[in-house]
Amino acid sequence: MCGIVGYTGRQDAAPLLLEGLRKLEYRGYDSAGIAVENDGRLRMVKASGHIDRLEEKTHGGADLPGCCGIGHTRWATHGAPTDVNAHPHMSNDGKFAIVHNGIIENYSALREELRGKGFVFQSETDTEVIVHLLDMYYQGDLKEAVMRTAARLEGSYALGVVCADVPGTLCAIKMASPLILGVGIGENYFASDVTALVSHTKNVIYLEDGEFAELTPESITVYDVAGRPVSHSISRIVWDVEAAEKGGYDHFMLKEIMEQPRAMKAAIEPRIRSGRIVLDDFDDAFKVCFDDVHRIVITACGSAYHAGCVGRTMIEALCRTPVEVDVASELRYRDPIIDDHTLLIAVSQSGETADTIAAIREGKNRGAKVLAIVNVVGSTIAKLSDYVLYTWAGPEIAVATTKGYTTQIAVLSLLAVWMADRRGLLTPERYSELTGGILDLPERTQRAIDLNPQVAYLAERYRDNTSLFFIGRNLDYAVCLEASLKLKEISYIHSEAYAADELKHGTIALIDEGRLVVALACCEALFDKTMSNIKEVKARGAKVLAVTHEGGRRVFAEADDVLFVPVTDPLLAAIPEIVPLQLFAYYVARANGCDIDKPRNLAKSVTVE
Ligand code: M6R
């Protein structure tokens, strides 16, 4: 939920730390701080609010000279987003400063113990115990103090440490939170995410849980949990720095919506060769595993869960295998029926969502094989799973996911067809119809994006609605869930997604004169049924904005406004259908002056339960 960054080299650290924090701000943005070591002394500045405030307070970093330092951008969990609760946290004697991403679960007991030994706490955070533990265990050997401290911690952490006694040296250690080392020439870095590193180096090391790294300008040494040096290969970041910049767009969200055709191509094209789906990511072991699967459980959170709902319809329709979709935080606590004939599919953009990670662990304990559909390479979920299909969407910075979600559906559609084919359930004609339809998705997505001016106009017209409904059936309903979430999270307008016919079992009482209902009607087989539901809300005074495909012109008879999305195979309609609704949420939020890329109370990756 937070972002951390560290630098040691020959340049002034503070401006580089501020730049890194800007790249990580999507991970949390309620307060930030930096600490820099200079000639064996630590100086620290913290500020509540966005990074701009920290930048002002430090005069762009000029107030903190020195070539070695750490930074943090926060999403508050323990204690309000105040200057005092912001990281870094410093030891009472000013010798250590630390930044932390994660949650220390046993912090209350540690706090009591440390208070009893005379340590004075400044903040309400769980993190502060770490810096006092370091102070307690330090007897001239930083590595030993960090390792003894880590041994006392329960929970998750990516931790960066700077110590006045060891100028020019950073320590970094991780457990169940992401931490990546950036390998430079005469300088080295650590960060929560490669986006903070890529403008300086494309050479990175992905630390494993329990590993500890010591960084100086000239060297990086990694140790395992027992303190033995371990060698790591250096990985190369494959995308360019521009991928993590706004590239002329006002917001990352708009840029990422526009990038969807390209992202979709990257997810699909390498996986369809000579008309056949080839999931190179899998080895033959997956085929053997899948042949023994009786049931599939898809688990995820937020938009990834909504992608899973689309996936269920596609897999069940094609593969005739029962699929259950469950929100990860619910799955793990309800004694799920999962055994060694279950395939657990975990869907996650970040690969770091705490509840999804816990659901995977639960599934594995019960004998399931786990297939992850993930965007971030080397993420915890990717590492934890038996099989991984990357979505190759590139970095997604906006808190509201767009290309992350659509590429998940693209990969699920490939998987659904692959599975159905493996079970011998598709005729050659249907197989090539579906693969052709999947290959056409980037072009269909582009045509949906071309609705941009029309959507911007409609958003202006409907921006004042304070509460609205998205209705649809079957796959349309799954898309409603995502459309409603998009609008809520960035525009703060209340909305609900409803299975169109379910509305009349109570909620229709809320439909009154002028209430906006967005009706999704791309499921051809259910088109007339949805039309009836549109009539029902119209009869009660609702305004209806319909989203249908080019063949659904008769919706004009009932709807006030219509958006026509390109026709696809009905099973693949979710992708072009969501695009105008992503744009709708964007333009409504923009018209209402909302902070689109950094919506209130949110963070990009939810790494706490
Ligand atoms: O990184 P993940 O895909 O695991 O994240 C899951 C959700 O937290 C995420 O989709 C969230 O709902 C987004 N804010 C939606 O835009």
Side-chain angles (χ1 to χ4, degrees):
M1 296 301 263
C2 303
I4 68 171
V5 62
Y7 171 82
T8 179
R10 298 193 185 97
Q11 304 180 62
D12 270 332
L16 293 169
L17 296 173
L18 288 168
E19 181 201 320
L21 291 180
R22 277 200 181 285
K23 301 275 169 48
L24 296 175
E25 208 177 3
Y26 72 92
R27 300 178 67 87
Y29 36 84
D30 58 37
S31 51
I34 52 178
V36 175
E37 176 272 318
N38 191 22
D39 284 338
R41 281 196 56 221
L42 300 186
R43 288 195 57 205
M44 174 173 84
V45 178
K46 315 199 267 192
S48 56
H50 290 185
I51 307 290
D52 291 344
R53 287 214 50 227
L54 181 65
E55 186 132 20
E56 275 163 34
K57 215 166 163 182
T58 59
H59 299 97
D63 291 358
L64 287 93
C67 301
C68 176
I70 54 178
H72 186 274
T73 181
R74 180 169 186 244
W75 187 87
T77 55
H78 297 64
T82 58
D83 286 11
V84 170
N85 288 332
H87 302 208
H89 291 283
M90 229 181 218
S91 55
N92 292 154
D93 60 2
K95 195 176 277 185
F96 298 94
I98 61 156
V99 285
H100 167 224
N101 170 32
I103 297 270
I104 304 305
E105 286 162 5
N106 58 336
Y107 82 99
S108 296
L110 290 172
R111 185 190 278 252
E112 285 322 302
E113 176 189 329
L114 289 158
R115 273 204 178 121
K117 291 188 166 133
F119 290 94
V120 179
F121 281 76
Q122 312 285 342
S123 75
E124 302 157 82
T125 64
D126 55 333
T127 298
E128 198 181 340
V129 295
I130 304 173
V131 78
H132 299 312
L133 282 173
L134 271 174
D135 195 359
M136 183 168 86
Y137 287 127
Y138 182 69
Q139 284 168 353
D141 183 339
L142 180 59
K143 178 180 157 225
E144 192 190 321
V146 173
M147 298 197 74
R148 287 185 71 186
T149 297
R152 298 291 314 277
L153 303 177
E154 288 167 20
S156 58
Y157 49 85
L159 196 63
V161 180
V162 64
C163 173
D165 274 3
V166 198
T169 297
L170 296 174
C171 291
I173 186 164
K174 89 162 219 102
M175 180 61 72
S177 288
L179 191 58
I180 295 143
L181 310 180
V183 185
I185 298 170
E187 56 185 14
N188 288 308
Y189 301 78
F190 67 73
S192 301
D193 185 344
V194 289
T195 49
L197 305 173
V198 72
S199 57
H200 301 287
T201 178
K202 288 191 164 189
N203 295 328
V204 297
I205 293 172
Y206 294 96
L207 279 191
E208 299 290 337
D209 277 352
E211 286 183 343
F212 163 80
E214 216 168 37
L215 294 85
T216 69
E218 305 301 339
S219 66
I220 293 181
T221 317
V222 180
Y223 302 92
D224 68 12
V225 77
R228 293 173 299 234
V230 282
S231 64
H232 257 282
S233 56
I234 293 178
S235 308
R236 192 90 186 133
I237 303 171
V238 290
W239 41 268
D240 287 325
V241 68
E242 295 76 43
E245 307 280 351
K246 279 193 205 147
Y249 288 96
D250 289 344
H251 297 96
F252 278 110
M253 183 181 175
L254 187 59
K255 176 183 176 240
E256 288 159 7
I257 290 173
M258 299 300 173
E259 280 173 352
Q260 289 180 108
R262 206 175 66 202
M264 209 84 60
K265 268 187 185 208
I268 294 168
E269 284 185 358
R271 290 170 170 147
I272 302 186
R273 287 187 230 133
S274 310
R276 301 290 308 167
I277 297 176
V278 185
L279 300 178
D280 277 344
D281 327 55
F282 290 167
D283 46 26
D284 286 342
F286 182 73
K287 292 181 185 152
V288 175
C289 148
F290 181 66
D291 290 346
D292 200 29
V293 164
H294 299 176
R295 213 168 135 258
I296 296 172
V297 174
I298 303 180
T299 194
C301 300
S303 297
Y305 165 76
H306 299 156
C309 294
V310 174
R312 168 180 51 197
T313 305
M314 294 190 296
I315 296 171
E316 284 193 337
L318 296 172
C319 198
R320 307 312 296 155
T321 300
V323 183
E324 188 185 320
V325 193
D326 219 340
V327 168
S329 54
E330 291 294 313
L331 177 88
R332 56 185 292 208
Y333 290 119
R334 66 173 177 78
D335 197 7
I337 302 171
I338 290 178
D339 60 19
D340 51 2
H341 295 294
T342 308
L343 175 67
L344 184 69
I345 303 181
V347 187
S348 174
Q349 188 286 129
S350 63
E352 299 296 344
T353 301
D355 283 314
T356 311
I357 292 170
I360 292 173
R361 294 208 163 103
E362 183 66 37
K364 287 190 115 175
N365 286 342
R366 289 168 189 257
K369 284 281 183 241
V370 180
L371 161 61
I373 296 180
V374 177
N375 189 34
V376 177
V377 175
S379 55
T380 305
I381 290 179
K383 285 183 182 157
L384 203 59
S385 303
D386 300 294
Y387 308 99
V388 183
L389 281 173
Y390 284 109
T391 54
W392 299 123
E396 191 179 63
I397 310 293
V399 166
T401 182
T402 52
K403 62 177 182 171
Y405 164 81
T406 46
T407 51
Q408 285 162 356
I409 296 177
V411 170
L412 280 161
S413 69
L414 287 164
L415 188 64
V417 178
W418 184 93
M419 286 174 165
D421 181 53
R422 179 83 191 154
R423 297 251 152 117
L425 294 172
L426 298 176
T427 62
E429 295 71 32
R430 184 69 180 128
Y431 185 87
S432 60
E433 218 170 70
L434 285 162
T435 49
I438 295 172
L439 278 170
D440 285 343
L441 281 173
E443 185 267 343
R444 297 293 194 277
T445 307
Q446 183 56 56
R447 280 169 50 200
I449 287 174
D450 294 342
L451 294 167
N452 190 27
Q454 202 184 334
V455 179
Y457 166 80
L458 290 172
E460 189 57 42
R461 176 191 290 198
Y462 290 119
R463 61 181 273 199
D464 292 330
N465 278 269
T466 52
S467 176
L468 60 112
F469 290 89
F470 289 87
I471 61 167
R473 289 161 175 262
N474 201 265
L475 266 179
D476 288 331
Y477 171 53
V479 178
C480 286
L481 295 170
E482 176 61 6
S484 174
L485 176 62
K486 279 293 81 84
L487 186 72
K488 277 185 280 211
E489 68 181 331
I490 60 166
S491 75
Y492 320 140
I493 291 173
H494 170 256
S495 77
E496 277 186 53
Y498 248 83
D501 200 57
E502 184 65 13
L503 205 63
K504 60 172 153 305
H505 294 280
T507 307
I508 202 164
L510 294 173
I511 302 294
D512 53 4
E513 198 61 37
R515 172 86 44 222
L516 178 61
V517 174
V518 182
L520 275 61
C522 287
C523 280
E524 188 53 46
L526 293 167
F527 187 87
D528 291 328
K529 302 264 180 210
T530 307
M531 282 288 281
S532 303
N533 300 129
I534 293 176
K535 284 183 190 158
E536 287 160 9
V537 294
K538 282 296 291 178
R540 286 153 182 88
K543 287 249 178 250
V544 172
L545 164 58
V547 180
T548 185
H549 51 69
E550 286 144 0
R553 297 209 159 258
R554 54 198 193 282
V555 82
F556 266 131
E558 298 301 332
D560 297 87
D561 291 288
V562 184
L563 287 166
F564 289 107
V565 295
V567 178
T568 54
D569 188 285
L571 279 180
L572 305 174
I575 292 178
E577 194 173 18
I578 191 61
V579 170
L581 298 170
Q582 294 169 337
L583 288 165
F584 183 75
Y586 173 81
Y587 284 114
V588 169
R590 188 181 171 131
N592 290 332
C594 301
D595 191 347
I596 292 173
D597 284 339
K598 296 196 270 292
R600 71 182 177 210
N601 304 338
L602 298 185
K604 180 76 178 160
S605 34
V606 184
T607 55
V608 293
E609 273 190 51

